[in-house]
Short mmCIF file of all heavy atoms in Angstrom, two decimals:
data_model
loop_
_atom_site.label_atom_id
_atom_site.label_comp_id
_atom_site.label_asym_id
_atom_site.label_seq_id
_atom_site.Cartn_x
_atom_site.Cartn_y
_atom_site.Cartn_z
N THR B 31 -77.49 24.92 35.21
CA THR B 31 -78.55 25.39 36.05
C THR B 31 -79.55 26.21 35.26
O THR B 31 -80.76 26.20 35.54
CB THR B 31 -77.92 26.19 37.22
OG1 THR B 31 -77.25 25.27 38.06
CG2 THR B 31 -78.98 26.89 38.05
N ALA B 32 -79.06 26.92 34.24
CA ALA B 32 -79.99 27.65 33.36
C ALA B 32 -80.71 26.66 32.45
O ALA B 32 -81.94 26.67 32.38
CB ALA B 32 -79.20 28.66 32.55
N ASN B 94 -93.38 24.59 31.69
CA ASN B 94 -92.16 24.68 32.48
C ASN B 94 -92.53 24.82 33.95
O ASN B 94 -93.72 24.88 34.30
CB ASN B 94 -91.28 25.86 32.00
CG ASN B 94 -92.12 27.14 31.86
OD1 ASN B 94 -93.12 27.33 32.57
ND2 ASN B 94 -91.73 28.04 30.98
N THR B 95 -91.52 24.89 34.79
CA THR B 95 -91.76 25.08 36.23
C THR B 95 -92.63 26.31 36.49
O THR B 95 -93.53 26.31 37.31
CB THR B 95 -90.41 25.29 36.94
OG1 THR B 95 -89.55 24.15 36.63
CG2 THR B 95 -90.57 25.42 38.45
N THR B 96 -92.32 27.35 35.76
CA THR B 96 -93.04 28.60 35.93
C THR B 96 -94.54 28.44 35.71
O THR B 96 -95.34 28.89 36.50
CB THR B 96 -92.48 29.66 34.94
OG1 THR B 96 -91.07 29.79 35.19
CG2 THR B 96 -93.18 31.00 35.12
N GLU B 97 -94.89 27.77 34.62
CA GLU B 97 -96.32 27.59 34.39
C GLU B 97 -96.94 26.65 35.43
O GLU B 97 -98.08 26.85 35.85
CB GLU B 97 -96.59 27.00 32.97
CG GLU B 97 -98.09 27.14 32.62
CD GLU B 97 -98.52 26.36 31.41
OE1 GLU B 97 -97.83 25.41 30.97
OE2 GLU B 97 -99.60 26.68 30.90
N HIS B 124 -86.65 31.83 43.28
CA HIS B 124 -86.59 32.27 41.87
C HIS B 124 -87.81 33.13 41.60
O HIS B 124 -88.86 32.94 42.22
CB HIS B 124 -86.61 31.00 41.04
CG HIS B 124 -86.35 31.20 39.59
ND1 HIS B 124 -87.33 31.59 38.70
CD2 HIS B 124 -85.22 31.02 38.83
CE1 HIS B 124 -86.83 31.65 37.47
NE2 HIS B 124 -85.54 31.33 37.53
N SER B 126 -89.92 32.91 39.54
CA SER B 126 -91.08 32.09 39.21
C SER B 126 -91.91 31.71 40.41
O SER B 126 -93.09 31.41 40.29
CB SER B 126 -90.61 30.78 38.55
OG SER B 126 -90.04 31.08 37.31
N THR B 172 -88.29 26.69 47.32
CA THR B 172 -87.43 25.99 46.38
C THR B 172 -86.72 24.84 47.08
O THR B 172 -86.26 25.00 48.23
CB THR B 172 -86.44 26.94 45.71
OG1 THR B 172 -85.76 26.26 44.67
CG2 THR B 172 -85.40 27.49 46.70
N MET B 174 -84.01 23.44 45.85
CA MET B 174 -82.57 23.77 45.74
C MET B 174 -82.47 25.12 45.10
O MET B 174 -83.04 25.39 44.07
CB MET B 174 -81.86 22.71 44.90
CG MET B 174 -80.42 23.08 44.56
SD MET B 174 -79.59 21.68 43.76
CE MET B 174 -78.44 22.58 42.71
N SER B 175 -81.67 26.01 45.72
CA SER B 175 -81.51 27.35 45.20
C SER B 175 -80.64 27.34 43.92
O SER B 175 -79.60 26.71 43.88
CB SER B 175 -80.83 28.25 46.25
OG SER B 175 -80.28 29.39 45.64
N ASN B 176 -81.08 28.09 42.92
CA ASN B 176 -80.34 28.14 41.69
C ASN B 176 -79.17 29.12 41.77
O ASN B 176 -78.43 29.25 40.81
CB ASN B 176 -81.22 28.48 40.51
CG ASN B 176 -81.79 29.89 40.62
OD1 ASN B 176 -82.17 30.32 41.73
ND2 ASN B 176 -81.87 30.61 39.52
N ASP B 201 -90.79 24.02 44.57
CA ASP B 201 -90.20 24.37 43.29
C ASP B 201 -88.96 23.45 43.16
O ASP B 201 -87.90 23.65 43.75
CB ASP B 201 -89.76 25.83 43.31
CG ASP B 201 -88.90 26.19 42.10
OD1 ASP B 201 -88.56 25.30 41.30
OD2 ASP B 201 -88.61 27.39 41.96
N ALA B 203 -87.36 22.71 40.37
CA ALA B 203 -86.70 22.94 39.09
C ALA B 203 -85.23 22.51 39.16
O ALA B 203 -84.69 21.97 38.19
CB ALA B 203 -86.77 24.42 38.71
N GLN B 204 -84.56 22.71 40.32
CA GLN B 204 -83.16 22.35 40.43
C GLN B 204 -82.96 21.03 41.13
O GLN B 204 -81.85 20.48 41.09
CB GLN B 204 -82.39 23.47 41.17
CG GLN B 204 -82.32 24.79 40.46
CD GLN B 204 -81.68 24.70 39.08
OE1 GLN B 204 -80.93 23.76 38.78
NE2 GLN B 204 -81.99 25.65 38.22
N SER B 224 -89.03 21.28 35.37
CA SER B 224 -88.95 21.52 33.92
C SER B 224 -88.08 20.46 33.26
O SER B 224 -87.03 20.09 33.80
CB SER B 224 -88.25 22.86 33.64
OG SER B 224 -88.93 23.92 34.23
N HIS B 226 -86.27 20.84 30.54
CA HIS B 226 -85.07 21.34 29.87
C HIS B 226 -83.88 21.39 30.82
O HIS B 226 -82.75 21.51 30.37
CB HIS B 226 -85.32 22.72 29.28
CG HIS B 226 -85.50 23.80 30.27
ND1 HIS B 226 -84.47 24.61 30.70
CD2 HIS B 226 -86.61 24.26 30.94
CE1 HIS B 226 -84.91 25.49 31.58
NE2 HIS B 226 -86.20 25.31 31.76
N LYS B 227 -84.12 21.33 32.11
CA LYS B 227 -83.00 21.36 33.05
C LYS B 227 -82.54 19.92 33.39
O LYS B 227 -81.65 19.73 34.22
CB LYS B 227 -83.41 22.08 34.34
CG LYS B 227 -83.66 23.55 34.15
CD LYS B 227 -83.86 24.25 35.45
CE LYS B 227 -84.57 25.59 35.31
NZ LYS B 227 -83.67 26.68 34.87
N GLY C 277 -90.93 32.44 32.27
CA GLY C 277 -90.15 31.19 32.40
C GLY C 277 -89.43 30.85 31.11
O GLY C 277 -89.55 31.57 30.09
N THR C 278 -88.67 29.79 31.17
CA THR C 278 -87.92 29.34 29.99
C THR C 278 -88.93 28.96 28.90
O THR C 278 -89.76 28.07 29.11
CB THR C 278 -87.02 28.15 30.33
OG1 THR C 278 -86.20 28.53 31.42
CG2 THR C 278 -86.19 27.74 29.14
C1 PLP E 502 -85.11 27.29 41.35
C2 PLP E 502 -85.77 27.56 40.05
N1 PLP E 502 -87.08 27.73 40.00
C3 PLP E 502 -87.77 27.97 38.87
C4 PLP E 502 -87.10 28.05 37.67
C5 PLP E 502 -87.87 28.34 36.45
O1 PLP E 502 -87.82 27.31 35.54
P1 PLP E 502 -88.42 27.50 34.08
O2 PLP E 502 -87.75 28.69 33.50
O3 PLP E 502 -88.09 26.27 33.39
O4 PLP E 502 -89.87 27.75 34.25
C6 PLP E 502 -85.69 27.90 37.65
C7 PLP E 502 -84.93 27.97 36.42
O5 PLP E 502 -84.25 28.92 36.12
C8 PLP E 502 -85.02 27.64 38.87
O6 PLP E 502 -83.72 27.50 38.90
#
Side-chain angles (χ1 to χ4, degrees):
Chain B
T31 291
N94 48 29
T95 304
T96 303
E97 194 192 19
H124 188 279
S126 293
T172 188
M174 171 172 150
S175 161
N176 65 320
D201 171 355
Q204 295 301 339
S224 302
H226 70 93
K227 293 189 199 280
Chain C
T278 305

